[in-house]
Amino acid sequence: MAQGKRISSDIGDDAIQAIKAFGAAAKLARTTAGEGQAAAATRLGVHVQTIARIESGEPGVAIGHVFGMLALYGISTTLQQQQLPTESGERPS
């Protein structure tokens, strides 16, 4: 399952994919801006290794660091709540 520090082995594949997508978006934004990982680390106030962990989609990175890096490069996020199935297995209408 998930690799990283203090991550539940029960984290779903959909969550892992979302984390990886955030990392890929952060890397694309950084490289499009023409900055290296060291510059991003300095701007965010973290170690360069943290930038590498964000960009690789490691689930053990603090969420504040991930969203902070996205914000550095002008990426905003919107949360959208999924409708969960009812006890009968049907989605509410």
Side-chain angles (χ1 to χ4, degrees):
M1 244 316 123
Q3 297 296 315
K5 297 178 183 176
R6 298 181 301 262
I7 298 300
S8 169
S9 61
D10 295 333
I11 189 169
D13 289 338
D14 55 338
I16 295 293
Q17 291 308 314
I19 293 165
K20 290 187 180 297
F22 281 126
K27 182 175 184 175
L28 179 60
R30 176 186 58 77
T31 57
T32 299
E35 288 192 345
Q37 288 183 334
T42 299
R43 291 180 64 199
L44 191 56
V46 298
H47 192 278
V48 70
Q49 198 171 36
T50 301
I51 300 301
R53 292 174 59 215
I54 291 169
E55 293 179 353
S56 70
E58 184 180 312
V61 178
I63 193 167
H65 293 327
V66 175
F67 283 99
M69 183 171 176
L70 292 171
L72 281 178
Y73 297 104
I75 298 175
S76 63
T77 57
T78 303
L79 296 178
Q80 186 175 17
Q81 185 173 0
Q82 294 178 327
Q83 289 186 338
L84 300 176
T86 62
E87 287 183 24
S88 66
E90 296 179 12
R91 293 193 182 270
S93 39

